[in-house]
Amino acid sequence: DTEVTQTPKHLVMGMTNKKSLKCEQHMGHRAMYWYKQKAKKPPELMFVYSYEKLSINESVPSRFSPECPNSSLLNLHLHALQPEDSALYLCASSQGTGFSFFPATNEKLFFGSGTQLSVL
Amino acid sequence: KNEVEQSPQNLTAQEGEFITINCSYSVGISALHWLQQHPGGGIVSLFMLSSGKKKHGRLIATINIQEKHSSLHITASHPRDSAVYICAVGIIQGAQKLVFGQGTRLTINP
């Protein structure tokens, strides 16, 4: 199984809603990532988890709250989002060898197919 | 100036043509990644290089560490190769993370 599964594929939410995005992988990877991608732009890193610990937070607003309950699961909790937060949210994973606080950047990344989020 | 520059930004070609996409970077790197993104979102990792050349089917990727430059070549291009191709480098200063190029939008016409 070399898949990263993201749910839901599409999400429409109001600015007062609370929702969660889910990401799952069963490849034994110990590094997991959330990226945000606006149309026709490259992905922007949001968060990195290494061995279930948050190792990188790219100054993301607190209305985005990541959670890594175990080595296979990564969640992104959304609350009080703004319309400008509408984007494709991508999850990725990598082997995460070496017990490093920062995952190595010379490891292949496996991406999920993303959640297309619209905030009304 | 961006740390990773790709060229061209857009490329349209006829089926069967040989395609080259270029990536230049200005920082020390651990590796360079070539990624493919089809309309609809999913990103696939095509290659990860730290030196030399790699080949997979009709795709070839090369890297010149001294010149800080990489190329992705597609031989005998096909309409299904139409996608956005993204170069990303793993930087080694500070918090290790990937820095992405802006992408090259490739369209192959039948």
Side-chain angles (χ1 to χ4, degrees):
Chain A
D1 183 3
T2 58
E3 273 196 4
V4 176
T5 304
Q6 284 189 247
T7 54
K9 292 199 183 309
H10 302 275
L11 180 61
V12 179
M13 60 187 289
M15 289 191 283
T16 57
N17 291 159
K18 282 186 183 181
K19 297 286 184 185
S20 296
L21 309 184
K22 180 181 281 191
C23 174
E24 198 165 359
Q25 56 84 17
H26 297 287
M27 294 178 277
H29 288 175
R30 303 310 297 269
M32 296 186 78
Y33 312 75
W34 280 116
Y35 287 90
K36 172 184 175 180
Q37 187 179 28
K38 300 284 262 185
K40 300 192 177 181
K41 296 288 186 185
E44 299 170 35
L45 183 64
M46 299 175 73
F47 302 105
V48 180
Y49 274 83
S50 179
Y51 287 80
E52 294 101 72
K53 299 255 186 310
L54 183 65
S55 62
I56 296 178
N57 176 342
E58 290 287 279
S59 303
V60 179
S62 60
R63 57 186 184 268
F64 295 91
S65 174
E67 179 197 19
C68 190
N70 61 56
S71 59
S72 300
L73 267 179
L74 185 66
N75 298 321
L76 186 62
H77 303 297
L78 314 172
H79 174 53
L81 294 194
Q82 304 296 309
E84 61 264 27
D85 297 321
S86 298
L88 180 69
Y89 288 83
L90 291 159
C91 173
S93 71
S94 65
Q95 190 76 31
T97 53
F99 299 96
S100 171
F101 184 68
F102 298 120
T105 52
N106 58 353
E107 294 178 350
K108 181 176 176 177
L109 279 176
F110 292 78
F111 284 86
S113 55
T115 294
Q116 188 66 54
L117 174 67
S118 296
V119 182
L120 305 179
Chain B
K1 188 179 189 299
N2 292 337
E3 291 163 311
V4 182
E5 297 275 357
Q6 278 186 245
S7 63
Q9 289 188 353
N10 294 284
L11 179 56
T12 300
Q14 291 299 120
E15 183 173 356
E17 286 189 38
F18 182 81
I19 303 298
T20 295
I21 299 171
N22 296 300
C23 176
S24 297
Y25 55 93
S26 57
V27 294
I29 70 169
S30 60
L32 184 142
H33 301 250
W34 281 105
L35 309 169
Q36 179 194 55
Q37 186 170 31
H38 278 105
I43 293 179
V44 174
S45 175
L46 298 175
F47 296 104
M48 187 182 66
L49 295 159
S50 53
S51 65
K53 177 179 173 177
K54 287 190 176 180
K55 184 175 192 287
H56 185 254
R58 294 180 295 106
L59 301 176
I60 303 166
T62 64
I63 188 168
N64 185 318
I65 297 294
Q66 285 72 34
E67 294 186 4
K68 291 188 163 65
H69 181 268
S70 175
S71 293
L72 176 69
H73 305 286
I74 305 175
T75 61
S77 59
H78 191 276
R80 64 175 175 267
D81 298 325
S82 298
V84 176
Y85 292 83
I86 304 170
C87 169
V89 299
I91 61 173
I92 55 177
Q93 296 98 340
Q96 298 174 46
K97 58 182 181 180
L98 290 187
V99 176
F100 291 81
Q102 292 297 307
T104 294
R105 188 170 300 271
L106 174 65
T107 303
I108 304 295
N109 293 319

